[in-house]
Amino acid sequence: MSSPVFSFLETDDLSQQEIEGLFAQAKTIKNDFLKHRSFSKTNFSQHSLLLSLLFFEPSTRTRSSFEMAALRMGWQTTFFDGASKEGSSLIKGESFEDTFWTLHAMGPNILVVRCGDELRLTELRKKTQIPLINAGYGTHSHPTQALLDVFTMQESFSDLTNKNILFVGDVRHSRVAHSHFKFLSTLGAHVGVVGPQSFLQGISSSHKSFTQLSEALPWADVVVGLRVQFERHENSNQFSRDEYIKNYQLSLEKAKFLKPSALVFHPGPVNWGLEFDPSVRELPHFKMWQQKQNGVYVRAALLDLVARKNGY
Ligand code: CP
């Protein structure tokens, strides 16, 4: 009987020790890259896997960072664009699930999947013979974003115990926030949320909830701005852009409430002028480009770990 396949669908698929090892490896990869502008092959367990990316929702950061990580590791990649249906047999009515199994049948070593509720990743993981990596699953989870965010937070605060992490805005529709909520509690951090009531529906009452950004910002060690996800809103008439900007947009004026040591994150893409005023880019607190850069190193370390855990 073949051994079970290890897939990475949520941060709790890895032990705390494995995550510490992954972050240590990502740090080594980063330091080497900053010195030599290349990945050292000695940082990885082997060299010649085929990574297949299967994306049913659009992506810039996650897709590109997985591809760059894999190529710099000496792997090969394929990309299936299931988000713009025109170029594939999705336009002929083929289902997402048949598309998944078609790519699966071709035998890549690892499948990186981004999808909405059309696929049930937790069910597929039980049937697949190929390791899966969750690259963003509907509103449910985006664990590699949570990993790279925590890695970036730890570059400033080595220990997140008792640190206050504030999520601002469209928390309800944010898969990033949902992955963070689980992960941050295991690290001893405190989670806070602030945003319009309709964006906080269904969010656990165990998190600290604020009504005013001016009251929440002084509490926060890390502020995570979240994209307003218009494409997931059932009723777009309920949203007032002016009210949102007045109450929840981070601007230079509101940034005066930040602690001097506070970090400002955003998973991207940003709706500039809505979640953040463009001037936020100039703040010393603003770490979004560091998040993007670290995405490559953390995803490289994850690919290597998933490969090793599957005996490649
Ligand atoms: N943060 C994030 O997942 O961005 P993309 O949708 O561009 O991958």
Side-chain angles (χ1 to χ4, degrees), residues 58-62 114 142 145 267-269:
S59 169
T60 297
R61 282 143 284 268
T62 312
R114 169 169 287 197
H142 195 353
Q145 180 74 44

Side-chain angles (χ1 to χ4, degrees), residues 55 57-65 114 135-136 142 144-145 148-149 175-176 227 266-269 291-292 299:
F55 277 44
E57 290 188 354
S59 169
T60 297
R61 282 143 284 268
T62 312
R63 171 195 171 172
S64 300
S65 57
R114 169 169 287 197
H142 195 353
T144 62
Q145 180 74 44
L148 76 90
D149 286 348
R175 54 191 173 206
V176 174
R227 183 172 69 86
H266 195 301
Q291 288 172 270
K292 307 306 162 226
R299 289 184 172 117

Side-chain angles (χ1 to χ4, degrees), residues 170 227-233 236 239 241 271 274:
D170 195 354
R227 183 172 69 86
V228 177
Q229 302 202 18
F230 293 105
E231 75 278 18
R232 300 194 199 273
H233 294 178
S236 54
F239 181 75
R241 191 181 168 91
N271 292 307
L274 183 57

Side-chain angles (χ1 to χ4, degrees), residues 134-154:
N134 173 357
Y137 180 22
T139 57
H140 308 292
S141 51
H142 195 353
T144 62
Q145 180 74 44
L147 285 179
L148 76 90
D149 286 348
V150 166
F151 177 83
T152 309
M153 290 175 201
Q154 289 185 345

Side-chain angles (χ1 to χ4, degrees), residues 10-192:
E10 197 39 284
T11 53
D12 59 10
D13 286 323
L14 295 174
S15 67
Q16 204 139 339
Q17 200 180 4
E18 285 173 319
I19 289 176
E20 282 166 20
L22 184 150
F23 285 168
Q25 188 180 3
K27 192 172 170 185
T28 306
I29 297 166
K30 177 173 183 170
N31 289 341
D32 276 1
F33 184 76
L34 295 181
K35 259 192 239 152
H36 308 296
R37 306 304 294 174
S38 65
F39 283 8
S40 165
K41 299 283 187 288
T42 56
N43 290 327
F44 302 103
S45 53
Q46 50 60 55
H47 308 294
S48 59
L49 296 187
L50 176 65
L51 185 74
S52 201
L53 293 100
L54 175 53
F55 277 44
F56 293 106
E57 290 188 354
S59 169
T60 297
R61 282 143 284 268
T62 312
R63 171 195 171 172
S64 300
S65 57
F66 266 117
E67 285 179 324
M68 287 190 201
L71 292 170
R72 287 211 153 108
M73 290 163 73
W75 293 18
Q76 294 171 303
T77 64
T78 68
F79 176 69
F80 177 86
D81 179 6
S84 61
K85 299 188 172 48
E86 281 70 25
S88 74
S89 288
L90 287 166
I91 201 157
K92 303 175 204 164
E94 188 163 34
S95 69
F96 282 21
E97 188 154 345
D98 277 359
T99 305
F100 171 88
W101 287 115
T102 298
L103 271 288
H104 183 278
M106 293 177 192
N109 297 106
I110 298 176
L111 263 167
V112 176
V113 183
R114 169 169 287 197
C115 61
D117 287 330
E118 302 84 0
L119 284 181
R120 295 179 63 193
L121 285 186
T122 43
E123 291 304 309
L124 290 176
R125 91 180 306 165
K126 294 179 197 156
K127 301 177 191 162
T128 179
Q129 297 307 307
I130 293 175
L132 306 181
I133 295 179
N134 173 357
Y137 180 22
T139 57
H140 308 292
S141 51
H142 195 353
T144 62
Q145 180 74 44
L147 285 179
L148 76 90
D149 286 348
V150 166
F151 177 83
T152 309
M153 290 175 201
Q154 289 185 345
E155 288 186 322
S156 295
F157 306 118
S158 52
D159 185 358
L160 294 186
T161 311
N162 290 326
K163 289 285 181 275
N164 296 330
I165 320 295
L166 177 71
F167 293 84
V168 182
D170 195 354
V171 183
R172 181 178 169 207
H173 298 101
S174 173
R175 54 191 173 206
V176 174
H178 291 127
S179 277
H180 267 298
F181 292 164
K182 270 190 185 174
F183 190 25
L184 287 169
S185 64
T186 67
L187 301 172
H190 306 297
V191 167

